[in-house]
Amino acid sequence: MAKITKVERRLGSMMVEEQVLSEEELEQALTERDRKGLTSLPVGKYLVRHGYINEKDCLRVLARQFNLAVMDLEEVEVQEDLLAQVPEEICRRYKLLPLFAIGDEITLAVSDPTSIDGVDVVSGLLKRPVQPVLVSETQVLQSIASHYGGGDEEEASDDLVTLGALDVDSGGRKTDIESLRAAGEEAPIVKMVDKILKLAVREGASDIHIEPGEDHLLVRFRIDGVMQKRFAFSMQLSAAVTSRVKILSALDISERQRPQDGRIQLKMGDRELEFRVSVLPVVYGEKVVMRILDRSSVRVELTDLGFSKYNLEVFESLLRQPNGIVLVTGPTGSGKSTTLYAALNSINSIERNIVTVEDPVEYQIPLINQVAVNVKRGLTFAGALRAFLRQDPDIIMVGEIRDPETGSIAAEAALTGHLVLSTLHTNDAPSSITRLMEMGVAPFLLAPTLLGILAQRLLRRVCPQCKAPHTPLPAEIAEAGVQDIAGQVTFYRGKGCGYCSGSGYRGRTGIHEVLKVDEEIRELIIEKASTSQLRRVAYGKGFRDLRFDGLRKAVAGQTTLEEVVRVTKAVE
């Protein structure tokens, strides 16, 4: 039996009732949708895109199901003053468009009648009640492009059809390389990719994902740690867009069966940006991911990273030690590299010889000698560490401890009078100790050298423009464990506005826990104590964990309880 929600089942039944399609055709379509892994695609859109029904019939049945009027945008004059109050990103994300006002009420064109969030966001932006009307998705997207001047993708699509540069199918059919290169250098495609890069930077995205699918080319941004859809283009653009990115990053456009990595360096205003590009062959073409690195972020100070006064004092005391190991831990994307660079900035001086080994070197810092890992040439973390010890260093930064050899050499370097900074992929500070021992670093090396461990996460800040008092649900209060202070503290959340693109959040801050290793913990390391034992002793010494730091920020109105629980759930 095909997977289908109650709302979809009702829509399908109504289509059968109105003889738009037969029961057999409906079941066939739903089964196909499941088999292709497209269950996230609404059933109405799937039926239209795969030729089971036409868009007009689909709209008519949807309008009846949700009791909405259907409107033809070709017969409507849009009020430009309304558009000026609703950002293009909001319209594209929810596929809607404010049309005109009747009295105090705004008529809003929507292509998805279930998108309650989009209606609420627009109502909040305009501060007026909204009446949705149903419009085809095609018309909404065309109108958005027309009114906001963002028609690059439509223009590009038309040009590419003329060029004949069609996407490659899942069977790996080859496209003429010269045609592909030409398509990648055509003005519409150049404009489109340029627009994607600039919009991602403007919105503060950390990553751009360009993903080919069966029916469309999806562009998503990771903003404040959360993936958000931005564009959906015709699959006819897939090969040309990928080729454009490859040209910019000096990759081989003829190679489509193996992963490739490259870089794009751009200057936008006074900002020097680098896009680290990864291209990966997938079922429907090649997926492109671009990590955005802003060189200005290397100048960040520790005081800019959201440290509490207590955590900052403890961490800075570790950095002032003449020798030993200081670790920064957390999953990918938790801001470890930024914290390490800020730490280096805080101790960098003409009197110190600081060397680093990184994979890769993300930012270059004056007075610091930085080495990039090159495994093909035999330059590993461990190999670089050995060489560093002959370079008379005071401070050594190792991008990551990945294996017992690197961990052991780092400990030996600390034993011989060097301060070693590094990162580790663990959930929290106490578990980092057991992780190193499980990795193969001997306790007799680890115990005398480990100074302390900083674990961190990034959580989203409440948008300052639409921040408003909020009463959390009892379930949220219970999950966060703040029953004792509920009702005594005012919590906040963002309503959603143009400044935060309707998310209610804008920007991120760090939450931290710092475990300072003392004699008692050193003895536990020698005894190969478990993580639970280490954690219990740490709490007895006043250790404050990530959840504590997050709740402190929620109480201060910087974030929401929901966000704190989301970010710290994995470390409970």
Side-chain angles (χ1 to χ4, degrees), residues 206 475 557 569:
S206 61
K569 200 169 185 64

Side-chain angles (χ1 to χ4, degrees), residues 123-185:
S123 180
L125 287 171
L126 298 177
K127 296 180 172 57
R128 295 161 76 176
V130 166
Q131 175 58 52
V133 294
L134 199 55
V135 177
S136 77
E137 181 178 315
T138 302
Q139 281 198 336
V140 167
L141 293 178
Q142 288 175 345
S143 294
I144 291 171
S146 172
H147 290 288
Y148 285 100
D152 295 349
E153 60 269 32
E154 287 81 6
E155 178 185 355
S157 183
D158 291 342
D159 284 7
L160 284 178
V161 171
T162 302
L163 288 167
L166 300 179
D167 183 44
V168 175
D169 65 17
S170 58
R173 187 172 61 239
K174 294 183 178 179
T175 303
D176 177 35
I177 298 304
E178 290 307 314
S179 298
L180 202 56
R181 185 182 298 279
E185 294 177 341

Side-chain angles (χ1 to χ4, degrees), residues 272-495:
E272 292 184 11
L273 300 166
E274 184 173 286
F275 297 79
R276 190 181 299 161
V277 179
S278 171
V279 181
L280 179 70
V282 293
V283 173
Y284 294 108
E286 292 177 283
K287 175 177 177 176
V288 177
V289 176
M290 291 181 272
R291 167 66 57 88
I292 303 173
L293 303 175
D294 186 347
R295 294 188 182 279
S296 63
S297 66
V298 74
R299 294 187 289 272
V300 71
E301 303 292 333
L302 286 172
T303 51
D304 299 327
L305 301 182
F307 278 96
S308 67
K309 182 180 179 182
Y310 172 82
N311 285 335
L312 182 60
E313 287 177 352
V314 176
F315 187 56
E316 286 183 327
S317 72
L318 299 176
L319 298 176
R320 288 194 294 269
Q321 300 303 308
N323 58 277
I325 299 174
V326 179
L327 295 176
V328 180
T329 76
T332 300
S334 59
K336 299 187 299 296
S337 295
T338 300
T339 299
L340 274 185
Y341 280 122
L344 289 177
N345 280 334
S346 72
I347 55 181
N348 189 15
S349 71
I350 195 69
E351 293 85 14
R352 289 191 172 108
N353 177 20
I354 302 177
V355 291
T356 75
V357 54
E358 306 169 56
D359 184 20
V361 174
E362 294 188 359
Y363 306 106
Q364 296 176 6
I365 307 175
L367 294 180
I368 294 181
N369 304 284
Q370 297 169 267
V371 176
V373 166
N374 190 327
V375 177
K376 292 181 180 179
R377 296 185 178 180
L379 184 57
T380 61
F381 280 118
L385 263 173
R386 287 196 193 92
F388 285 171
L389 297 179
R390 298 189 291 273
Q391 288 283 313
D392 186 33
D394 297 300
I395 299 167
I396 299 171
M397 192 269 271
V398 183
E400 182 185 347
I401 295 178
R402 298 178 179 175
D403 52 62
E405 185 181 16
T406 305
S408 298
I409 297 173
E412 290 168 2
L415 276 175
T416 54
H418 306 92
L419 181 65
V420 180
L421 310 181
S422 190
T423 71
L424 195 66
H425 281 83
T426 54
N427 273 338
D428 60 9
S431 66
S432 300
I433 295 174
T434 50
R435 171 73 183 121
L436 286 168
M437 290 191 290
E438 289 169 356
M439 189 185 290
V441 180
F444 71 84
L445 281 176
L446 189 60
T449 57
L450 187 60
L451 295 173
I453 304 163
L454 169 73
Q456 67 179 59
R457 296 289 190 280
L458 295 175
L459 52 72
R460 294 177 292 173
R461 289 179 174 271
V462 174
C463 174
Q465 300 295 329
C466 60
K467 178 178 178 180
H470 168 68
T471 302
L473 296 172
E476 293 177 307
I477 292 171
E479 191 170 14
V482 292
Q483 295 93 327
D484 293 345
I485 62 172
Q488 304 173 37
V489 174
T490 301
F491 294 102
Y492 293 85
R493 90 183 316 172
K495 292 182 176 180

Side-chain angles (χ1 to χ4, degrees), residues 68-82:
L68 295 175
V70 178
M71 189 167 288
D72 184 350
L73 290 187
E74 292 183 2
E75 301 174 358
V76 176
E77 185 173 344
V78 178
Q79 289 183 214
E80 295 294 336
D81 61 320
L82 293 178

Side-chain angles (χ1 to χ4, degrees), residues 238-273:
S238 180
V241 169
T242 303
S243 295
R244 178 59 186 165
V245 174
K246 286 182 176 180
I247 290 169
L248 288 173
S249 49
L251 297 179
D252 183 357
I253 64 170
S254 66
E255 177 55 71
R256 308 186 61 181
Q257 303 303 318
R258 292 188 299 177
Q260 294 190 70
D261 297 314
R263 294 188 178 194
I264 302 171
Q265 292 185 327
L266 294 177
K267 190 167 185 178
M268 294 186 183
D270 58 351
R271 299 173 67 182
E272 292 184 11
L273 300 166

